[in-house]
Amino acid sequence: MALLPIVQYPDPRLAQKALPVEQFDENLAKLAADMAETMYAAPGVGLAATQVGELIRMVVIDISEEKNDLKVFVNPVIESSSNDLVECEEGCLSLPGVYEKVKRPSHVKIKYQNLQGENCELECDELLSVCVQHELDHLDGIVFIDHLSMLKKQRAAAKLAKLRKEKARAAKRGETQ
Ligand code: K1U
Ligand code: ZN
């Protein structure tokens, strides 16, 4: 397995729409395993193939405390969404250090394929629902700050740039963060 570099905002690849997976082979399984390793190491609770520069429709998610409930969704589609919305604070491994509240449907039902190409369905609520919607957005070239007002989005992007500058300065001084 291998750790993959995570594409950072505003890299234009994050704004591209990913293509459907057609081949369910060992290369796909290897990418899923590498994405899972990368997600656990970050650490994060989800990762879309887009975030590792692979523009295909696959995401990995594990919201368990023990990090032993890996879910791999290939060609996922939201079949239905609840009318009620919830506001949750979200983060993103492509925008490290930026956290903002986003309103989304509280429940979603998804259809997807597993790594063997079998058709599956899953009802999602709470953190899984938020995470699924966040990761599926990545496959459509949407990052969570795209859901904010223009002003809040600009502030979030400015905060990210400031954090990066601080990190670069600290690295120059030989500090670790
Ligand atoms: O898409 C990503 O970059 C992953 C993202 C998923 C996500 C988190 C929270 C709300 C919506 C989507 C992350 O995992 S950010 C890191 C994070 O939230 C986290 C890290 C360690 C433990 C628990 C959460
Ligand atoms: Zn993200």
Side-chain angles (χ1 to χ4, degrees), residues 111-163:
K111 283 196 171 169
Y112 64 97
Q113 286 167 287
N114 62 18
L115 283 171
Q116 288 71 45
E118 296 160 345
N119 293 321
C120 310
E121 288 183 359
L122 187 67
E123 302 261 2
C124 310
D125 63 3
E126 301 187 339
L127 178 58
L128 181 59
S129 172
V130 175
C131 199
V132 158
Q133 293 176 71
H134 177 115
E135 300 310 332
L136 270 60
D137 268 356
H138 275 303
L139 302 183
D140 288 326
I142 297 165
V143 292
F144 77 107
I145 62 170
D146 292 333
H147 290 284
L148 307 176
S149 69
M150 190 52 75
L151 180 64
K152 282 189 176 169
K153 184 176 169 176
Q154 282 168 352
R155 281 187 185 152
K159 183 179 177 191
L160 184 64
K162 186 170 172 244
L163 288 172

Side-chain angles (χ1 to χ4, degrees), residues 8-170:
Q8 296 297 304
Y9 182 87
D11 189 304
R13 286 173 290 177
L14 290 173
Q16 288 187 27
K17 204 172 157 77
L19 295 172
V21 171
E22 285 172 2
Q23 301 252 69
F24 293 82
D25 56 15
E26 64 277 10
N27 293 329
L28 189 72
K30 162 95 169 70
L31 177 61
D34 289 347
M35 285 171 56
E37 191 181 2
T38 305
M39 171 186 75
Y40 289 128
V45 290
L47 193 67
T50 302
Q51 292 177 278
V52 293
E54 296 286 342
L55 292 174
I56 61 164
R57 303 189 78 80
M58 177 163 74
V59 308
V60 296
I61 292 179
D62 189 346
I63 58 160
S64 69
E65 291 268 318
E66 302 79 17
K67 303 291 165 216
N68 61 0
D69 187 21
L70 179 66
K71 298 182 196 310
V72 180
F73 300 136
V74 183
N75 297 326
V77 177
I78 295 181
E79 272 291 301
S80 60
S81 309
S82 63
N83 290 327
D84 61 311
L85 305 178
V86 279
E87 194 173 49
C88 283
E89 186 153 275
E90 298 190 18
C92 182
L93 300 175
S94 297
L95 293 90
V98 173
Y99 298 91
E100 295 288 343
K101 284 185 176 163
V102 177
K103 257 189 202 162
R104 299 185 188 267
S106 65
H107 293 64
V108 290
K109 181 178 170 185
I110 60 165
K111 283 196 171 169
Y112 64 97
Q113 286 167 287
N114 62 18
L115 283 171
Q116 288 71 45
E118 296 160 345
N119 293 321
C120 310
E121 288 183 359
L122 187 67
E123 302 261 2
C124 310
D125 63 3
E126 301 187 339
L127 178 58
L128 181 59
S129 172
V130 175
C131 199
V132 158
Q133 293 176 71
H134 177 115
E135 300 310 332
L136 270 60
D137 268 356
H138 275 303
L139 302 183
D140 288 326
I142 297 165
V143 292
F144 77 107
I145 62 170
D146 292 333
H147 290 284
L148 307 176
S149 69
M150 190 52 75
L151 180 64
K152 282 189 176 169
K153 184 176 169 176
Q154 282 168 352
R155 281 187 185 152
K159 183 179 177 191
L160 184 64
K162 186 170 172 244
L163 288 172
R164 279 198 190 128
K165 259 189 200 157
E166 285 168 3
K167 204 174 167 191
R169 279 203 203 104

